[in-house]
Amino acid sequence: MASRALVIAPGEYQPGSNVPGWPTIAASGRMYREVLAGDKLWGAEGCRVLGPDEAGTIDGVMRALEETAAETGPSDTLLVVYVGHGACWGDVPAGDQVHFSVGTSQDRAPWTWLNSWYVYRAMRKAAAGLKVLIADCCYSHRLGDLGLAEEEPKLPGVMGRQFEGTCVLSALGQDAALAGPLASAEGCPGLPAPFDQCTPFSGHLLNVLSRGIRDRKDQLTFGLLREAIKAEMEKCTAGHPQPRMVLRDAPDGTQIFTNRMAADQRVDPSLPTDLHGWIDWLRGDPDARIPYLLKDECTTADIVSTLCDRGDDDSLKLAEHIDIRANDAYRSPDTFARYFSRMERRAA
């Protein structure tokens, strides 16, 4: 058993389909294979890119996905990458669900598009302990949590179960509701070759993976990856939409790719200067960054209290995680007293 990646990038469509083909889509698929092949966490054997025949039909895509999923075990990661057209129809059953195009898809013919629910179902049934979907398409901001929430209705014939962790990384973020649901497929001139030949989101993501980041860690975690892509796209003058990452059970510190930047080019992080900066920075890789915070018990107390005041699940989990580490680190009675008393004062 081993971690497996499946890349679905249909760049060609049948004549008369009125679905435009983009060379950037196929180029993105090829670059995912090249970049993952050079990553020791994946390797050439761990990545499968569908050719035009397999990516041409719903059956071809789903059979390939089922085969790839079956190759994974509980200690593995299943990564599915989709680059292509996305659509949503409000006047078809389950119209709120995102549909992915395949080579035989036709404009205004929803039944010729692949419902993302089937992709989700195949991924959920995989034995892999970590399941990751990267979606570079229009309407990708409407993709839901990959895990089955208890409050979600059970569809006929589908059994929900608990997963060790899932992640959905999409080209469009929540701001797409206002800015529009369309993701550009035109190559970004701000990217170096060959990534400028890819779609903008995949190009920036692949550029980060290929180059690595200046963090000391040898692996890229979800949190570090999210930070790096956000910084990459914010500094780009092309004005790209900001992506979205939704985690379910998988923590920010989960390792997913290799940090390929040379060790002698990495530096210690610049520490934040305010509470909100600390919180944003900690989310990137809590386990690696909490030790920097613990050097100041008063700031640690302020961060824990601020997170508790926010009250959302992610903030409360991070607050609990920091508090556990603080209780273990502050063995000196004086240090622990300062930490505990400051939290009490803030709570009062």
Side-chain angles (χ1 to χ4, degrees), residues 49 55 75 111 145 149 155 186 199 205 230 255 260 316 323 347:
V49 180
S75 62
W111 59 91
D145 184 349
L155 296 174
E186 295 185 3
T199 60
L205 171 59
K230 179 180 178 182
Q255 299 174 358
R260 298 173 69 174
L316 292 176
D323 185 56

Side-chain angles (χ1 to χ4, degrees), residues 101 144 258 277 307:
S101 67
T258 299
L307 287 167

